Amino acid sequence: HQTAGDLTTARQELEQLLSTSTRDTNLLQQLSKLCEASGDVDAAINYQRQLVAIAPGHESEFPLVKLLQTRGSSDEAMEILIRLTAREQDPARLLRNIDSLLNQGAYEAVIRITEPLLSQQREDWELLYREGVAWAKLNKTDEATLRFNRILDLSLPFDTLGIYAEDRFKRDLAK
Protein backbone atom coordinates (compact mmCIF):
# COMPACT_ATOMS: atom_id res chain seq x y z
CA HIS A 1 0.00 0.00 0.00
CA GLN A 2 2.81 2.37 0.82
CA THR A 3 4.45 1.97 -2.58
CA ALA A 4 1.09 2.56 -4.25
CA GLY A 5 0.75 5.83 -2.34
CA ASP A 6 -2.06 4.67 -0.06
CA LEU A 7 -0.42 5.84 3.16
CA THR A 8 -3.60 5.59 5.23
CA THR A 9 -4.14 1.90 4.47
CA ALA A 10 -0.44 1.15 4.91
CA ARG A 11 -0.49 2.86 8.29
CA GLN A 12 -3.61 0.95 9.41
CA GLU A 13 -2.06 -2.37 8.46
CA LEU A 14 1.20 -1.58 10.24
CA GLU A 15 -0.67 -0.45 13.36
CA GLN A 16 -2.55 -3.77 13.38
CA LEU A 17 0.75 -5.63 13.15
CA LEU A 18 2.17 -3.48 15.94
CA SER A 19 -0.70 -4.41 18.24
CA THR A 20 0.52 -8.01 18.18
CA SER A 21 4.21 -7.14 18.34
CA THR A 22 4.63 -3.93 20.37
CA ARG A 23 8.43 -4.19 20.60
CA ASP A 24 9.11 -4.59 16.88
CA THR A 25 11.65 -1.87 16.16
CA ASN A 26 11.33 -2.18 12.37
CA LEU A 27 7.57 -1.70 12.58
CA LEU A 28 7.94 1.33 14.84
CA GLN A 29 10.51 2.84 12.50
CA GLN A 30 8.28 2.25 9.46
CA LEU A 31 5.27 3.72 11.24
CA SER A 32 7.22 6.79 12.29
CA LYS A 33 8.44 7.39 8.73
CA LEU A 34 4.98 6.73 7.31
CA CYS A 35 3.34 9.19 9.72
CA GLU A 36 5.98 11.78 8.93
CA ALA A 37 5.45 11.31 5.19
CA SER A 38 1.70 11.75 5.59
CA GLY A 39 2.15 14.91 7.67
CA ASP A 40 1.17 13.49 11.06
CA VAL A 41 4.27 14.65 12.93
CA ASP A 42 2.75 14.08 16.38
CA ALA A 43 2.08 10.41 15.60
CA ALA A 44 5.56 10.10 14.07
CA ILE A 45 7.04 11.49 17.30
CA ASN A 46 4.96 9.05 19.35
CA TYR A 47 6.23 6.04 17.39
CA GLN A 48 9.79 7.36 17.42
CA ARG A 49 9.62 7.79 21.23
CA GLN A 50 8.49 4.15 21.52
CA LEU A 51 11.43 3.14 19.34
CA VAL A 52 13.86 5.12 21.51
CA ALA A 53 12.45 3.43 24.63
CA ILE A 54 13.19 0.01 23.14
CA ALA A 55 16.40 0.79 21.27
CA PRO A 56 18.04 3.99 22.51
CA GLY A 57 20.97 5.33 20.56
CA HIS A 58 21.99 7.69 17.82
CA GLU A 59 20.08 5.80 15.11
CA SER A 60 16.74 6.16 16.91
CA GLU A 61 17.23 9.39 18.87
CA PHE A 62 18.57 11.60 16.09
CA PRO A 63 15.40 11.12 13.96
CA LEU A 64 13.39 12.04 17.08
CA VAL A 65 15.40 15.26 17.34
CA LYS A 66 14.55 16.11 13.73
CA LEU A 67 10.86 15.37 14.26
CA LEU A 68 10.76 17.51 17.41
CA GLN A 69 12.44 20.36 15.55
CA THR A 70 9.87 20.02 12.75
CA ARG A 71 7.09 20.33 15.31
CA GLY A 72 8.77 23.31 16.93
CA SER A 73 9.78 21.58 20.16
CA SER A 74 13.30 22.92 19.92
CA ASP A 75 14.07 22.86 23.66
CA GLU A 76 13.33 19.15 23.96
CA ALA A 77 15.17 18.46 20.70
CA MET A 78 18.17 20.40 21.99
CA GLU A 79 18.27 18.43 25.27
CA ILE A 80 18.28 15.13 23.37
CA LEU A 81 20.97 16.41 21.00
CA ILE A 82 23.10 17.55 23.94
CA ARG A 83 22.72 14.14 25.60
CA LEU A 84 23.60 12.34 22.35
CA THR A 85 26.61 14.54 21.76
CA ALA A 86 27.91 14.22 25.32
CA ARG A 87 28.00 10.42 25.13
CA GLU A 88 29.25 10.19 21.53
CA GLN A 89 32.36 8.01 21.19
CA ASP A 90 33.11 8.57 17.51
CA PRO A 91 35.28 11.73 17.25
CA ALA A 92 34.05 12.73 13.79
CA ARG A 93 30.39 12.33 14.77
CA LEU A 94 31.06 14.21 18.02
CA LEU A 95 32.44 17.20 16.13
CA ARG A 96 29.61 17.02 13.61
CA ASN A 97 27.08 17.16 16.48
CA ILE A 98 28.91 20.05 18.13
CA ASP A 99 28.97 21.87 14.79
CA SER A 100 25.24 21.27 14.48
CA LEU A 101 24.70 22.82 17.91
CA LEU A 102 26.84 25.80 16.94
CA ASN A 103 24.84 26.26 13.74
CA GLN A 104 21.62 26.20 15.77
CA GLY A 105 22.91 28.88 18.13
CA ALA A 106 23.14 26.53 21.14
CA TYR A 107 26.36 28.08 22.38
CA GLU A 108 25.81 27.32 26.08
CA ALA A 109 25.15 23.70 25.15
CA VAL A 110 28.43 23.53 23.23
CA ILE A 111 30.28 24.80 26.28
CA ARG A 112 28.47 22.30 28.54
CA ILE A 113 29.70 19.52 26.25
CA THR A 114 33.22 20.72 25.50
CA GLU A 115 34.29 21.71 29.03
CA PRO A 116 34.29 18.18 30.49
CA LEU A 117 35.82 16.77 27.30
CA LEU A 118 38.61 19.35 27.41
CA SER A 119 39.36 18.50 31.03
CA GLN A 120 40.30 15.03 29.74
CA GLN A 121 41.78 16.09 26.38
CA ARG A 122 43.39 19.45 27.15
CA GLU A 123 45.23 19.65 23.82
CA ASP A 124 42.35 18.82 21.48
CA TRP A 125 42.56 21.86 19.23
CA GLU A 126 39.30 21.07 17.45
CA LEU A 127 37.34 21.08 20.72
CA LEU A 128 39.19 24.20 21.87
CA TYR A 129 38.31 25.94 18.62
CA ARG A 130 34.61 25.09 18.87
CA GLU A 131 34.50 26.16 22.50
CA GLY A 132 36.23 29.41 21.55
CA VAL A 133 33.64 30.04 18.85
CA ALA A 134 30.83 29.41 21.33
CA TRP A 135 32.33 31.88 23.83
CA ALA A 136 32.81 34.44 21.05
CA LYS A 137 29.19 34.08 19.92
CA LEU A 138 28.16 34.71 23.55
CA ASN A 139 30.23 37.92 23.43
CA LYS A 140 32.60 36.56 26.08
CA THR A 141 35.72 37.65 24.24
CA ASP A 142 38.09 37.05 27.16
CA GLU A 143 36.99 33.41 27.39
CA ALA A 144 37.17 33.01 23.61
CA THR A 145 40.63 34.56 23.50
CA LEU A 146 41.86 32.13 26.17
CA ARG A 147 40.74 29.16 24.04
CA PHE A 148 42.25 30.51 20.84
CA ASN A 149 45.54 31.32 22.61
CA ARG A 150 45.65 27.79 23.99
CA ILE A 151 45.45 26.54 20.40
CA LEU A 152 48.31 28.82 19.38
CA ASP A 153 50.39 27.58 22.35
CA LEU A 154 50.04 23.93 21.31
CA SER A 155 53.09 22.24 19.84
CA LEU A 156 51.40 20.87 16.76
CA PRO A 157 52.96 20.54 13.33
CA PHE A 158 51.73 23.16 10.89
CA ASP A 159 50.19 20.53 8.63
CA THR A 160 48.22 18.70 11.35
CA LEU A 161 44.99 17.40 9.87
CA GLY A 162 41.64 17.74 11.57
CA ILE A 163 39.42 14.75 12.21
CA TYR A 164 37.35 15.26 9.05
CA ALA A 165 40.47 15.55 6.88
CA GLU A 166 42.04 12.48 8.53
CA ASP A 167 38.92 10.44 7.81
CA ARG A 168 38.82 11.59 4.20
CA PHE A 169 42.56 10.85 3.81
CA LYS A 170 42.13 7.32 5.22
CA ARG A 171 39.16 6.66 2.93
CA ASP A 172 41.13 7.87 -0.09
CA LEU A 173 44.05 5.60 0.82
CA ALA A 174 41.72 2.62 1.14
CA LYS A 175 40.45 3.04 -2.43
Side-chain angles (χ1 to χ4, degrees):
H1 294 287
Q2 185 176 353
T3 55
D6 187 358
L7 301 181
T8 305
T9 305
R11 179 176 172 181
Q12 289 171 345
E13 288 187 15
L14 289 177
E15 285 173 338
Q16 284 178 339
L17 288 171
L18 186 63
S19 67
T20 62
S21 181
T22 58
R23 298 185 56 82
D24 187 325
T25 56
N26 289 330
L27 261 171
L28 288 166
Q29 188 174 34
Q30 282 184 306
L31 274 164
S32 179
K33 288 179 181 179
L34 194 59
C35 290
E36 182 182 12
S38 66
D40 190 350
V41 176
D42 288 332
I45 289 171
N46 180 42
Y47 289 122
Q48 199 65 38
R49 283 187 200 280
Q50 290 178 51
L51 180 59
V52 167
I54 296 168
H58 183 81
E59 294 75 20
S60 62
E61 291 177 75
F62 198 72
L64 178 59
V65 167
K66 289 183 177 182
L67 288 167
L68 289 166
Q69 288 172 332
T70 299
R71 185 175 71 184
S73 302
S74 56
D75 288 344
E76 185 181 356
M78 191 64 59
E79 284 303 313
I80 294 169
L81 192 54
I82 290 168
R83 196 172 57 245
L84 277 172
T85 303
R87 68 179 189 228
E88 183 57 62
Q89 297 296 313
D90 178 85
R93 190 182 284 174
L94 171 69
L95 290 179
R96 204 171 8 262
N97 289 348
I98 291 172
D99 290 344
S100 175
L101 290 168
L102 283 171
N103 289 330
Q104 294 175 43
Y107 309 122
E108 293 92 354
V110 169
I111 293 165
R112 282 183 15 209
I113 292 166
T114 56
E115 279 183 337
L117 292 171
L118 283 167
S119 71
Q120 299 166 1
Q121 307 165 44
R122 294 192 47 76
E123 297 191 355
D124 187 324
W125 67 269
E126 291 186 274
L127 288 174
L128 281 167
Y129 173 76
R130 283 156 176 86
E131 188 174 85
V133 169
W135 283 117
K137 292 290 188 176
L138 291 169
N139 294 319
K140 305 273 183 152
T141 54
D142 290 344
E143 292 291 335
T145 301
L146 281 171
R147 285 7 175 240
F148 295 133
N149 283 335
R150 279 178 56 193
I151 295 170
L152 293 173
D153 291 341
L154 294 175
S155 300
L156 295 173
F158 173 72
D159 58 351
T160 300
L161 296 177
I163 288 175
Y164 295 141
E166 281 182 27
D167 282 352
R168 190 175 27 241
F169 182 71
K170 288 175 185 175
R171 280 195 311 269
D172 291 346
L173 283 179
K175 289 181 182 180

